[in-house]
Amino acid sequence: MDVGEHDEERPARRLSGRVELFVWAASIAIALVVLKQVFLPFAKGNQYYLVIFLGVTLPLVFLCYRPRGRKTAPEEGENDNPGPLDWIFAAIALVVGLYPVLPLAIGDFGGGYDAFLNRQGLLSTSDIIAGTLLLILILEATRRTTGLVLPIVCLVFLAYSYYGGYLPPSWDIAHAGVDFSQIINALYNDQSGFYGVPLDVAATYIVLFTIYGAVLAQSGAGEFFVDLSFALFRRSRTAPGRTAAMSGFLLGTVSGSGTATTVSLGAITWPVLRRAGYPRENAGGLLAASGIGAILSPPTLGAAAFIIAEYLETPYLTVLVWAIVPTLLYYLGIAFAVEADARRFGARRVNVETRPVGRLLLQGGYHFVSLAIIVVFLALDIPPFTAVVYASGVAALFALGARLVAVRRGNETTGAALAGWVRSIADALAEGIRGALPVIAVCAAAGVITSTITKTGLGQELAAALVDAAQAIASNPTVVLMLTVVFAAAAVSVLGLAVPVTASFIIAWVVLGPALADLGVAPPEVAMFIFYYAVLSEVTPPTALASVAAAAITGGSVMKTMWQTWKYTLPAFLVPIAFVLTDNGSALLLQQPFVTSLWVGVVSALGVAALAVVTGGWLFGPARWPERSLCAAAALLLLYLQPLSIALGVGIFVVAIVVHLLTRSRETVDGQGA
């Protein structure tokens, strides 16, 4: 099964012949430019690099992605190469993308980068034409890679920017209106437009981590991670479920996409889950939850995590630290659900032939070294983009070592091994660039939204409207905060149904972030709250792309698989709310003293356990609705991290356990009497 068919972006073309060779070579050349920028940055500054980066990657989108999606992959031998119009778009994208740095001056056309910057605020006619064409092409590239919704959102923001002066003056969102030339100036010749923070993150962090994932994949890390997971858990009836969860976590370091991880994971572990007795929908839910967990977890996280680091001007390592406890709680929830399912379905042990754990680690444990290098380098204050380049180099060297071992064993010649290694690294560089193309298009398009909000002040007005809506319902500050958080969570979830995770985070940050900040929530909690809900949109009905992919693998009902996924991921939906409701919530992000973080983590784990009873229907045996209802109340109280609510939550949880034990005892006695 093709991973791309179920990824959150639209599947790319299957290129062939000279076109494939051309795109492969161009992608490698771009990758080398990206690597060069890490150690030998352009003298004219970072924006100069971003202009070049967008100018050379945008044309590839038109060559690699179809103008219209197709439901099925092309048949073997079918021509899927770009047509004449695609090549025209690619050529125009190359010219207008590189226009700001072209040294040739013909009239008011070109003149070099310095001359282009000197025209800021007073663009020439050719500047405006080039900028308009680039805007159209970016929106078209975004449509090809992610669908219609994000381009339409961008067009709405552009219309608001231009026609804002026609809105009734009494409306809070009314403004004077922005002239079209100034709109293009803000997008094309300003750091808040196409070349803003989102594209900067894509061109430095995301593309390098994508290359790293491709190098890991070429080195065989994915196969090793799955084998290790099977070897660790092979002797228990809960082993298949545990294996799926752990494999998803490890495979996420290679994939970087929750839906793609779900597909890769399902192809390997679904046969084992089926043999263990898992129903199709439950297995699909577990696969989707495990796949999404990969991009909620250190050390890679999702693309939006890099944007958090840039927006908050904080080290990426700090963002990783914030994610530690939520990740543990997420997988704790999955572990509880796996235990409940294994007992409820009467899961069977499955014998999977694997090598012993010790031998596996001796033969393939080096795959963890590059991950450790990233963490160690970040701890040493080395920038993430530098750390990941070194990690990629180490992974590549280990891959070379594995091939040389094969040479010593007589499995291949030295020449063939070296040629194969060089080709695999070249393929990884090309795959890294091609894999990042959808994110690059999204980040460039996101500049339209951030630029409009910067120019018009729309973000603050929408944030105020959100708070006003909450205050219209209640006047108590705590209740207002609760309502605002619920509104914000719903808004991010709905937004994420229509646009990719990265775009969802960016839009929510600039629109909803100020609302939570105005109510006293600190920026780290706001950022992580939005991040988690943006990611969880991949498992949120009715779209839930990861669940759709899992259902396609298991053959289960799509809607039932979505609800099973929701069951496994429920803690991830509720724990982020705990970040922002109380001051103690920041302890979940390890921002408070160790003792505080410890007891908050323990209480939250107890809340997750109570949630598992609600969703899994199992405690020490089948849980009935009375104890499940009590556990639901207990979980909500426990996750509101204040002493009184915690005491009430613990008490109700104890009552639920007592009711459960009494019910079981009575059923046992009745059974013996019968």
Side-chain angles (χ1 to χ4, degrees):
M1 177 173 291
D2 186 1
V3 171
E5 292 299 317
H6 295 284
D7 204 353
E8 68 179 56
E9 289 90 18
R10 292 187 172 187
R13 283 185 166 111
R14 291 184 178 178
L15 304 177
S16 60
R18 294 181 179 178
V19 176
E20 166 65 18
L21 181 62
F22 172 77
V23 170
W24 178 80
S27 298
I28 293 173
I30 294 170
L32 294 176
V33 172
V34 172
L35 294 172
K36 176 258 179 195
Q37 177 68 9
V38 174
F39 300 103
L40 296 170
F42 287 102
K44 292 193 175 183
N46 191 58
Q47 189 168 344
Y48 182 85
Y49 163 66
L50 294 180
V51 170
I52 293 175
F53 179 80
L54 182 61
V56 295
T57 54
L58 188 61
L60 292 184
V61 175
F62 298 103
L63 302 182
C64 294
Y65 286 84
R66 311 176 187 100
R68 291 178 299 277
R70 56 187 298 166
K71 294 183 178 180
T72 58
E75 297 293 333
E76 191 70 31
E78 181 182 349
N79 181 20
D80 198 28
N81 287 338
L85 187 61
D86 300 310
W87 285 103
I88 292 172
F89 281 177
I92 296 173
L94 182 67
V95 172
V96 298
L98 295 179
Y99 170 86
V101 299
L102 293 177
L104 180 65
I106 303 175
D108 63 356
F109 180 92
Y113 183 64
D114 293 335
F116 181 74
L117 290 184
N118 290 336
R119 296 194 295 272
Q120 190 173 72
L122 296 170
L123 297 184
S124 66
T125 301
S126 62
D127 294 339
I128 295 173
I129 293 173
T132 303
L133 289 173
L134 184 60
L135 170 62
I136 294 170
L137 290 169
I138 286 174
L139 295 181
E140 168 61 10
T142 307
R143 185 195 67 80
R144 290 188 179 209
T145 55
T146 65
L148 270 172
V149 175
L150 184 56
I152 289 174
V153 171
C154 291
L155 290 173
V156 169
F157 273 85
L158 288 170
Y160 168 75
S161 183
Y162 186 77
Y163 292 107
Y166 294 96
L167 295 174
S170 59
W171 289 16
D172 291 336
I173 61 172
H175 63 94
V178 183
D179 182 71
F180 182 76
S181 64
Q182 291 305 307
I183 291 175
I184 297 300
N185 179 82
L187 295 174
Y188 200 31
N189 201 340
D190 192 286
Q191 293 185 358
S192 67
F194 300 142
Y195 311 112
V197 170
L199 185 66
D200 187 15
V201 170
T204 51
Y205 298 96
I206 296 173
V207 71
L208 288 170
F209 272 83
T210 307
I211 290 172
Y212 169 64
V215 172
L216 270 184
Q218 289 285 350
S219 71
E223 181 181 351
F224 165 73
F225 290 151
V226 174
D227 288 346
L228 179 63
S229 300
F230 276 119
L232 284 171
F233 299 124
R234 61 182 173 178
R235 300 186 186 279
S236 164
R237 65 176 177 174
T238 59
R242 294 177 182 176
T243 298
M246 183 172 181
S247 298
F249 170 74
L250 293 173
L251 283 173
T253 61
V254 178
S255 164
S257 164
T259 308
T261 301
T262 298
V263 175
S264 301
L265 179 65
I268 300 167
T269 60
W270 161 234
V272 179
L273 292 171
R274 179 173 52 200
R275 286 162 56 195
Y278 271 76
R280 297 176 184 273
E281 289 78 13
N282 293 76
L286 175 60
L287 293 173
S290 301
I292 290 301
I295 54 174
L296 291 172
S297 310
T300 51
L301 294 175
F306 301 108
I307 297 177
I308 292 175
E310 287 297 305
Y311 277 161
L312 299 185
E313 298 181 346
T314 191
Y316 180 62
L317 180 62
T318 302
V319 180
L320 296 185
V321 170
W322 293 343
I324 290 174
V325 174
T327 298
L328 293 175
L329 293 174
Y330 181 82
Y331 281 100
L332 180 65
I334 291 181
F336 284 144
V338 166
E339 295 293 328
D341 283 352
R343 287 159 176 77
R344 195 150 54 92
F345 304 141
R348 301 179 294 272
R349 294 184 181 183
V350 177
N351 292 322
V352 178
E353 293 299 324
T354 60
R355 288 168 287 174
V357 174
R359 183 179 298 176
L360 271 173
L361 289 173
L362 283 175
Q363 294 176 344
Y366 60 84
H367 290 297
F368 289 115
V369 174
S370 61
L371 292 170
I373 285 175
I374 293 176
V375 176
V376 171
F377 278 28
L378 292 177
L380 295 175
D381 254 351
I382 296 174
F385 42 83
T386 305
V388 75
V389 171
Y390 283 118
S392 300
V394 169
L397 290 176
F398 275 126
L400 175 61
R403 286 186 174 271
L404 294 179
V405 169
V407 171
R408 287 190 59 187
R409 292 174 177 170
N411 295 334
E412 61 180 337
T413 65
T414 303
L418 289 175
W421 176 76
V422 171
R423 179 58 191 254
S424 69
I425 299 305
D427 286 343
L429 293 175
E431 289 169 15
I433 295 299
R434 289 181 65 171
L437 291 178
V439 179
I440 293 167
V442 166
C443 288
V448 174
I449 297 168
T450 56
S451 176
T452 299
I453 288 174
T454 301
K455 287 290 183 183
T456 63
L458 177 63
Q460 196 61 47
E461 295 298 338
L462 292 178
L466 187 67
V467 176
D468 289 344
Q471 291 175 338
I473 299 173
S475 58
N476 182 283
T478 302
V479 177
V480 169
L481 176 59
M482 287 182 176
L483 291 172
T484 304
V485 168
V486 171
F487 292 160
V492 179
S493 297
V494 171
L495 182 64
L497 299 178
V499 299
V501 170
T502 306
S504 176
F505 174 83
I506 294 169
I507 297 170
W509 173 258
V510 297
V511 174
L512 302 175
L516 295 173
D518 289 345
L519 294 175
V521 182
E525 288 91 278
V526 174
M528 295 303 284
F529 169 82
I530 294 174
F531 169 69
Y532 276 91
Y533 271 93
V535 171
L536 290 168
S537 64
E538 287 200 36
V539 292
T540 302
T543 53
L545 294 177
S547 301
V548 172
I553 294 168
T554 65
S557 163
V558 172
M559 287 307 300
K560 289 181 179 178
T561 300
M562 288 182 185
W563 288 113
Q564 289 299 323
T565 305
W566 188 79
K567 175 190 77 174
Y568 282 104
T569 58
L570 183 60
F573 281 91
L574 295 184
V575 169
I577 293 178
F579 298 165
V580 297
L581 284 183
T582 66
D583 292 338
N584 289 327
S586 63
L588 288 172
L589 305 181
L590 298 180
Q591 294 191 93
Q592 295 199 27
F594 173 77
V595 174
T596 303
S597 296
L598 180 62
W599 73 256
V600 166
V602 170
V603 169
S604 299
L606 194 60
V608 169
L611 281 174
V613 176
V614 178
T615 59
W618 193 274
L619 192 48
F620 300 107
R624 311 302 181 194
W625 278 110
E627 53 258 51
R628 292 172 76 174
S629 300
L630 289 169
C631 285
L636 294 176
L637 288 167
L638 286 166
L639 290 175
Y640 187 75
L641 300 167
Q642 292 287 63
L644 178 59
S645 65
I646 292 171
L648 289 171
V650 171
I652 293 174
F653 197 13
V654 170
V655 170
I657 294 172
V658 171
V659 169
H660 177 71
L661 293 175
L662 289 174
T663 303
R664 286 201 72 200
S665 176
R666 188 182 309 115
E667 290 175 350
T668 302
V669 171
D670 292 344
Q672 291 174 348

